Amino acid sequence: MPSYKFECLNVSISPEGVARVEISRPEALNAFNTQTWTEIGQCFTRFKSDGDVRSVVLSASGRMFTAGLDLKEAMTGPLSKSQDPDADVARKGYYHRLFILGFQEAISAVELCDKPVVVVVQGGCLGIGVDLVSACDVRIATEDAYFMVKEVDIGMAADIGTLQRLPKIVGNDSWVREVCYTARKVPAKEAHFVGLVSSVYSTTAEAMKAALDTAGTIAAKSPVAVVSTKHLLNYSRDHSVREGLEYTALWNTLAHNSHDMATAIVSSLRKQPAHFPKL
């Protein structure tokens, strides 16, 4: 079994296959330093090939989901190297690009993990937080949650996934441009209205229960069917309808050979719960 011991994440996996990942830097309002996003990439990359994991609930400790990028580290860590006035522009630019790509890959690991990810957002979700939740499958919020695409306020464009994923999530180009240009606060009620989150609950406890119930329902399904569905949804989102249909036909040529189909059909006819082996 892969190791899930991390410095900034608390990870557990239930016997039913529901993994819980908690971002844990409450003393820094869960601001993302290099260690945090590196561990997220490592964790979700391991989930992808771990048959014991069938679905994931992602959350954060403390009073807010994340304050965004750890600006204190940004002034002294890897990002600060690109500000060296004595460095050659082309050379420092080359390595800065690699840094950004590594950051992008870490957050994209959540999307590329074939196990569905349900995220619970409480309090503020700023900057990189929006990048992260945009890479998740199902987003649940508390009434006190709010979202801010904060990057313009620190003199940059969002570059870890928000500008690419958010327009496809909400389907309202005008709204996306407004919140990305202004960095204004988007309360949970508005986020629900535009489709950024699927539900809103009064408390974090209620939101977590809803997320765990959803993840538990997913975990009880055929893992072949679930990972296939997520993979095909992601592929179809980024391709034409025709390309999506053709790719799905090819994918299911293999997936239809699973014993899970017969198990599910027989269980349905007998009105009994089906039990599927791990992936």
Side-chain angles (χ1 to χ4, degrees), residues 63 120-123 140-146 188-189 192 197-211:
R63 63 185 177 86
V120 174
V121 178
Q122 85 283 3
I140 294 174
T142 58
E143 289 182 351
D144 70 341
Y146 61 92
K189 184 177 180 180
H192 188 210
V197 301
S198 56
S199 53
V200 178
Y201 292 86
S202 298
T203 66
T204 301
E206 291 174 349
M208 280 299 299
K209 182 181 184 303

Side-chain angles (χ1 to χ4, degrees), residues 257-278:
N257 288 288
S258 170
H259 295 302
D260 289 8
M261 287 186 67
T263 299
I265 292 171
V266 170
S267 296
S268 178
L269 291 173
R270 294 178 177 174
K271 302 187 185 311
Q272 298 175 342
H275 300 283
F276 303 98
K278 66 182 183 181

Side-chain angles (χ1 to χ4, degrees), residues 228-245:
S228 294
T229 298
K230 176 170 180 176
H231 183 80
L232 293 170
L233 279 170
N234 286 348
Y235 182 91
S236 297
R237 177 199 61 193
D238 298 332
H239 294 79
S240 70
V241 172
R242 172 54 56 189
E243 289 170 330
L245 287 169

Side-chain angles (χ1 to χ4, degrees), residues 4-20:
Y4 293 107
K5 293 182 179 180
F6 298 104
E7 179 181 323
C8 302
L9 305 177
N10 297 324
V11 182
S12 62
I13 303 172
S14 74
E16 295 75 28
V18 177
R20 294 185 62 173

Side-chain angles (χ1 to χ4, degrees), residues 58 110-111 117-119 131-139 169:
L58 174 63
V110 177
E111 180 179 82
V117 181
V118 183
V119 63
D131 293 310
L132 178 59
V133 302
S134 296
C136 296
D137 296 275
V138 179
R139 289 162 292 277
I169 292 171

